[in-house]
Each structure stands twice: as C-alpha cells, then as structure tokens.
Amino acid sequence: MSREWQNKGSNDTNAQIITTDNGRVYKPKNLLNAISEVQQFYVIESKGQNIPAEFLTLERTLDFFKIGLKSGFHEGFALVMLFPVFHFYLFPFVFKKLDLFTHLIFGSIPYLVLLVNTAMCCYISRYYVGNITRKAINSLLVGRAMSLLLKAFLLYVVYLVLYRISTPENVWKLALQFGSRAEKIYTGFFDIKPHLLPVATKSAVFMLLAAVFPYGSVYFLDLWHRYKIKKNAKIISA
C-alpha cells in the first residue's frame, strides 16, 4: 500500500516539490548551467504544476542575472580583443588578396563566441512557459543585454575618440618611439584609419542585435504559444 502511495505521489503533477539536498542550493556557474536549470524548471511547469514566481528566490534570480552579465562581458571581451587583429592587421597587411567567401569566413571568427551564445539564448525561448522559467530567462537575458549594450557603447566611444585624436602630428610623435620603423608605422596607421569608425559601428551594431535578438525570439514564441492555447480552447469549447 505504501509503495502504491509513493508511486502515485511521484506521478501526480500536483505533488509537492521536496528538496533532498539538506539545504544546499545549487548555483549555476555559466550560461550552459543556467540553461540546464531552466530546462529543469520547464519539466516541472510543463507537467501542469502552478508554482509561484517566488519559488525562484531573489538570490537565485540575481545568480541568473550575474551569469547573463558575465556571459555578455566574455562575449564582448572576445570581440574587442579579436576584431582589431583581423580588421586592422591581418586583412590590410597579411591577407591582402582574399576572395569574398574566405574573407567572410575569417571575418566571422571574432564573432563566433557572440554567435554561439546568442543561439543558446534563443534556444531557451522555447522554455518560456511558466512563472519560474519566465523569471529565470528574463533575469538571464537582462544581465546579458546590459553587458553587451555597455560594451557596444564603450567600443564605439573608444574608437571615435581614437579617430578624433589621430592627427598627423600626434601619430608621428607616437611613431617616433619605434625608431627606424616610424615611417612604416605612420603610413600603416593612416591606411587603416578610414576603417576605424566603420568597423567599430559594425561591431557595436552586431552586439546590439545579439543583445536584442533573444528577446525577439522569446516574445514571438510566447505569442505563438498563446495563440495555440486560444485556438485549442476554441476547438474544445466548440
């Protein structure tokens, strides 16, 4: 009899959730961990359990926010470090003659981390169904979006300032510090100077889209789910 009662409790979607970790709370450490935890919340809520949003405490909500913040920081940092190497050194001076396809392949390398994490954030939009999943996903995406938007702004401002102060006199003074290579550095810099603002604008816009696009996928998938629910309700009522 006791075994039947246990089986009933485990299969009942309205069964009480009992934690067995002796008070220890698992904290996700990175974006993949956070998505995995959202999947666990989805499994619970998709079974029909109506769990209040307060189940995800303020501390846990901040954990998701911090993970989003760190993810955006790492993505922006990788982009800031890699794209000057490709666009201001490799393309102008090393890979001078590349066909369009090869240029696109090499040009996409600085954006790989950003693209992968954006795809992962869009992937979790399918789990945007209940109170807990909505709260967790919103916290994660807000943290990531804030970090990326800040990085995009700072990136553009830094390159704009660099473009404005790069007068021939200032660049020549700096180039003189390299001795016999001064003339080569001077001419090389003015070869890439016209590309400073276009590349900075492209990278800033790309980070802006990466911050906003997951929200769009979440919003439209949520609308689609609501539409399907209303449509099924009309069919049942008819």
Side-chain angles (χ1 to χ4, degrees), residues 78-137:
L79 181 62
V80 168
M81 293 298 293
L82 288 176
F83 95 82
V85 176
F86 280 83
H87 291 279
F88 300 143
Y89 174 67
L90 293 179
F91 287 152
F93 304 113
V94 180
F95 303 138
K96 295 181 179 180
K97 296 181 180 179
L98 290 178
D99 58 89
L100 179 61
F101 178 76
T102 308
H103 190 280
L104 289 175
I105 293 296
F106 279 99
S108 65
I109 292 176
Y111 305 98
L112 282 180
V113 177
L114 193 65
L115 287 171
V116 170
N117 283 6
T118 300
M120 291 173 66
C121 288
C122 292
Y123 172 76
I124 63 174
S125 60
R126 61 184 296 187
Y127 304 124
Y128 196 77
V129 294
N131 293 328
I132 302 177
T133 51
R134 289 171 185 268
K135 191 174 180 180
I137 291 173

Side-chain angles (χ1 to χ4, degrees), residues 156-174:
Y156 186 81
V157 168
V158 167
Y159 277 88
L160 178 62
V161 172
L162 180 62
Y163 182 85
R164 294 286 177 84
I165 65 175
S166 298
T167 61
E169 294 81 9
N170 291 335
V171 174
W172 181 246
K173 288 179 183 178
L174 180 63

Side-chain angles (χ1 to χ4, degrees), residues 113-228:
V113 177
L114 193 65
L115 287 171
V116 170
N117 283 6
T118 300
M120 291 173 66
C121 288
C122 292
Y123 172 76
I124 63 174
S125 60
R126 61 184 296 187
Y127 304 124
Y128 196 77
V129 294
N131 293 328
I132 302 177
T133 51
R134 289 171 185 268
K135 191 174 180 180
I137 291 173
N138 285 334
S139 300
L140 184 68
L141 295 184
V142 166
R144 180 175 179 270
M146 286 181 60
S147 181
L148 285 177
L149 292 176
L150 180 61
K151 275 289 181 65
F153 174 75
L154 292 176
L155 175 69
Y156 186 81
V157 168
V158 167
Y159 277 88
L160 178 62
V161 172
L162 180 62
Y163 182 85
R164 294 286 177 84
I165 65 175
S166 298
T167 61
E169 294 81 9
N170 291 335
V171 174
W172 181 246
K173 288 179 183 178
L174 180 63
L176 287 175
Q177 307 300 319
F178 296 90
S180 60
R181 302 181 61 187
E183 186 175 350
K184 186 176 181 180
I185 292 174
Y186 179 84
T187 56
F189 179 82
F190 279 99
D191 285 340
I192 67 173
K193 183 181 177 180
H195 303 286
L196 285 176
L197 288 184
V199 171
T201 301
K202 182 174 71 174
S203 299
V205 169
F206 204 90
M207 283 193 280
L208 176 64
L209 292 175
V212 174
F213 192 76
Y215 275 109
S217 64
V218 166
Y219 176 74
F220 286 113
L221 266 179
D222 186 47
L223 286 180
W224 173 248
H225 288 152
R226 292 175 184 272
Y227 169 76
K228 288 178 65 177

